[in-house]
Amino acid sequence: MRAFGHFGASAFLLILFSFAAQAVELHEGITYRSGLKLDIHAPDTPGRTSQAGVVRMNLFSFGSPKVPVVIYAHGGGWVKGSRKKVYSLPEWLTQRGYMLVAIDYRKVPQTTIDGQVNDLSAAISWVRSNISRYGGDPSRIVLMGHSAGAHLVAMAAARNVAGDVRGVIPNDVQAYDMVAYAGMRGSLGYPYINAFGSDPNDWVRWSPVTYARRGSGFPPHLFLHSGSNGERRRALTNGYANLLKARGARAAVFDGGRYTHGSIARKLGGQGDPATVTIERFLAQVTR
């Protein structure tokens, strides 16, 4: 085994194995604005020192290109939740060659929905300015959120405060048109009443449809909805997707009628999961 020098065959194979393994490299608790933090989940980058202080070297990957970035806004009804609620997203997305940036944002009543959208906008700006240092590509950013986070990423895109992003993935929320929602339901109920209040003017102000009706140039959207609340959730999601298409945007809807509101987020990354496959196809299309 002279071709391997002093390493020996077993050591060389061990190194090859370590090269092939792609773990998640976590950069945790980074402040992106006063009092607010984000976590960066990245494919374990060869040649960079990890949090454990180990330099990982890959003879086959030096100079590898920057990877696309998914910025994720968690759920929690606008009133609770944490950037730590990411389910299996880090393992799934990093294995597919994406970087996940999970953000915190202020909660109601500490702030309003305007403040939450502003927090998301600040996080996007931070990522755009800093993510290349972590191996991410600032020119290939996709926004994704579940529940309240789905509403916030839709709002950021509709109000054009997200800048140039490649795509938006709102996963299972009914708050695209709060006037229509209130009319269908008969009242707001928890947690909508806590976040949107009882003033119809605020319902209009914090509905993505308000801005989409008079805007244009929106990024591609992939909407997902579960079977929770049945026809109402489906109608509100399709109604907003159709509005965006009428304004010239690419928009698709994944009908997840067999999922619950929780499982459509919890099952992402699972082998053969239909929602997972749909998102993977969308990400590949918009980030190529």
Side-chain angles (χ1 to χ4, degrees), residues 6-79:
H6 65 277
F7 281 105
S10 60
F12 187 75
L13 290 174
L14 179 61
I15 292 170
L16 286 178
F17 178 78
S18 67
F19 290 162
Q22 287 291 317
V24 179
E25 182 177 313
L26 174 61
H27 305 273
E28 187 173 18
I30 300 171
T31 299
Y32 73 86
R33 79 181 319 177
S34 179
L36 293 172
K37 299 181 183 298
L38 56 80
D39 295 340
I40 299 172
H41 305 263
D44 199 6
T45 306
R48 181 183 297 138
T49 302
S50 71
Q51 286 190 333
V54 177
V55 177
R56 292 177 170 84
M57 299 183 66
N58 187 332
L59 297 177
F60 309 107
S61 301
F62 285 122
S64 59
K66 306 291 186 184
V67 301
V69 181
V70 177
I71 299 177
Y72 185 76
H74 64 79
W78 302 271
V79 300

Side-chain angles (χ1 to χ4, degrees), residues 163-231:
D164 184 16
V165 297
R166 292 292 187 93
V168 185
I169 308 174
N171 184 7
D172 208 38
V173 74
Q174 300 180 77
Y176 303 113
D177 184 343
M178 287 306 300
V179 174
Y181 172 84
M184 292 178 183
R185 190 180 186 278
S187 63
L188 291 195
Y190 177 84
Y192 294 88
I193 189 67
N194 303 71
F196 291 85
S198 57
D199 185 348
N201 291 319
D202 286 333
W203 304 351
V204 173
R205 175 183 174 188
W206 294 326
S207 293
V209 296
T210 300
Y211 308 94
R213 283 169 179 155
R214 59 182 186 236
S216 61
F218 303 112
H221 282 60
L222 170 63
F223 296 92
L224 297 92
H225 71 78
S226 70
S228 298
N229 310 116
E231 184 55 36

Side-chain angles (χ1 to χ4, degrees), residues 92-110:
W92 165 46
L93 291 174
T94 56
Q95 287 172 7
R96 296 296 185 271
Y98 301 97
M99 179 176 292
L100 176 70
V101 180
I103 71 163
D104 274 329
Y105 51 87
R106 290 171 294 167
K107 310 304 186 294
V108 176
Q110 179 188 357

